Amino acid sequence: IEGPATAEVAPPRTKRDEQPHALLLDFGLAKLTEHEFSGEELQARKGRSVQALTQSGQMIGTPAYMAPEQARGSRDVDGRADVYGLGATLYHALTGRTPFEAATLAELLGLIDAQDPAPPSQANAEVDRDLETLVLKCLQKAPKDRYATADDLAEDLRRWLAGEALVARPVGPV
């Protein structure tokens, strides 16, 4: 065989690799604006509907994972809306359902804005109190009551995995 031999060396397996674990992938949102089309693409679209473009004020996202401020259509949305979405995803992973379920989109958005989700332990008794606290902190109605950043959430998840005390305080009835 001519040429250099090449081989990819796999990293050594760790104990964690041997245990079952989940992978969470975020495909993100595809948001097209007029500025993202090339001149040729815009020329081809002239005279045709431009429904593929994202319009100002248009709702973007998966409603069941939207933060209350997004559900209300507020323009005051920041990274804490993503923390809410991560919390909704964790909730779904722990319970097998989204935090809110409704027959119509309008009803769903109303629930997200007005009601607190049932604690995950009601749907899955195996969810421990600290993990439940962490998830419910992500799902707080007011952005100021959530983790400030995804890094803060990740740090509390690291603490939970290590059996350390969480930064999040238990969510009370008020």
Side-chain angles (χ1 to χ4, degrees):
I1 298 175
E2 294 182 15
T6 60
E8 292 196 23
V9 178
R13 290 182 56 88
T14 64
K15 188 171 184 172
R16 180 176 179 172
D17 291 331
E18 296 169 7
Q19 298 174 359
H21 59 279
L23 296 175
L24 176 64
L25 303 175
D26 177 9
F27 296 104
L29 294 173
K31 178 181 178 181
L32 299 175
T33 64
E34 194 170 313
H35 298 96
E36 293 176 280
F37 279 101
S38 70
E40 186 178 299
E41 290 168 319
L42 278 176
Q43 188 65 32
R45 288 182 173 272
K46 289 201 187 239
R48 293 188 303 164
S49 171
V50 191
Q51 292 178 351
L53 297 180
T54 302
Q55 305 297 314
S56 178
Q58 187 175 15
M59 182 187 298
I60 296 180
T62 305
Y65 299 89
M66 279 186 178
E69 59 272 25
Q70 289 175 296
R72 284 191 301 273
S74 172
R75 294 186 183 270
D76 191 23
V77 176
D78 60 22
R80 294 170 296 187
D82 292 332
V83 170
Y84 184 97
L86 287 168
T89 301
L90 286 169
Y91 188 102
H92 195 167
L94 293 170
T95 65
R97 64 182 205 78
T98 58
F100 300 99
E101 295 180 345
T104 67
L105 177 60
E107 184 183 347
L108 176 64
L109 297 177
L111 290 172
I112 290 169
D113 189 41
Q115 285 191 4
D116 290 325
S121 61
Q122 284 186 8
N124 179 357
E126 294 182 25
V127 176
D128 76 39
R129 186 171 183 248
D130 282 343
L131 186 56
E132 180 170 88
T133 297
L134 183 147
V135 170
L136 292 177
K137 181 170 180 69
C138 293
L139 297 176
Q140 290 296 298
K141 297 294 177 207
K144 69 177 180 56
D145 294 333
R146 297 180 205 138
Y147 291 98
T149 66
D151 284 339
D152 292 343
L153 167 59
E155 175 57 22
D156 244 5
L157 279 169
R158 185 203 61 75
R159 289 171 166 275
W160 177 75
L161 287 168
E164 299 171 7
L166 299 182
V167 172
R169 302 269 186 254
V171 180
V174 178

